[in-house]
Amino acid sequence: MDKQLVSSPSSVAYILGKKYLLVVIGSIIQGAAMGVFLFPNAIPSGGAGGITVLLNHLFRLPTSIGLWIVNASALLVAFRYLGGASAVGTVISITVTSVSIQFFETHWHTPLPNVWTDAAAGSIVLGVGIAILLRQGVSHGGIGIIALLIARSKHVNPGRPLFWINGAIFLLIGYIIDWHLVPQAIGCQWLSTRVVDWLYSTPMPRRISTAALGWRKR
């Protein structure tokens, strides 16, 4: 009965619709964290942003082009290893996050008193958004794809590899550009990845799994 239910076109459409709705919600939450709390204080939100900063500093490459190159490269990995559904979800995630950042930076301003409270609030909100995306088997873009691949191959929560990869990038930024950027960036990553680990491993009553779409192969 369950197999027949999953294999019906209407059920597949419902599963995909719910999946991508959660992807949009997670992306908006992620964009809010960056646009309201992190980017206004020049706090790197992750490894992709850090690589973009390095490309701009070393080669004067515009940040928009640099970020596109990083995410486009990651998308190639997504198509090759994560499958088409994850790649489509990543495209949606990157697009919605970018639009959300622009909206929140323009229309919202942080009500918190200093950079450290902004960093803490932004890290928690960011972790919530990333966890929602990863639970749908979708990367939040950039280095998140690599972290998701490692998590799947090693059977660990993706927050751990995400923290170590981004931490290495932040240390490189500190060495090349300015060391004062490192503590806030690493603190943000530590707190956000703790939130990711907790939410990712917490059982949900009706978790959406791309494995349910494997009915066509049976």
Side-chain angles (χ1 to χ4, degrees), residues 100-167:
S100 299
I101 290 171
Q102 178 63 35
F103 173 81
F104 286 113
E105 282 186 329
T106 303
H107 299 287
W108 290 69
H109 301 284
T110 174
L112 301 178
N114 60 62
V115 64
W116 288 104
T117 51
D118 278 341
S123 300
I124 294 171
V125 176
L126 182 67
V128 172
I130 292 176
I132 292 174
L133 296 174
L134 292 178
R135 287 190 71 100
Q136 307 313 312
V138 169
S139 167
H140 61 291
I143 303 304
I145 293 177
I146 299 175
L148 188 58
L149 289 174
I150 295 174
R152 288 185 175 183
S153 64
K154 301 295 185 181
H155 305 290
V156 298
N157 289 335
R160 187 171 301 172
L162 186 63
F163 172 75
W164 288 110
I165 295 171
N166 286 344

Side-chain angles (χ1 to χ4, degrees), residues 6 20 147:
V6 172
Y20 291 129

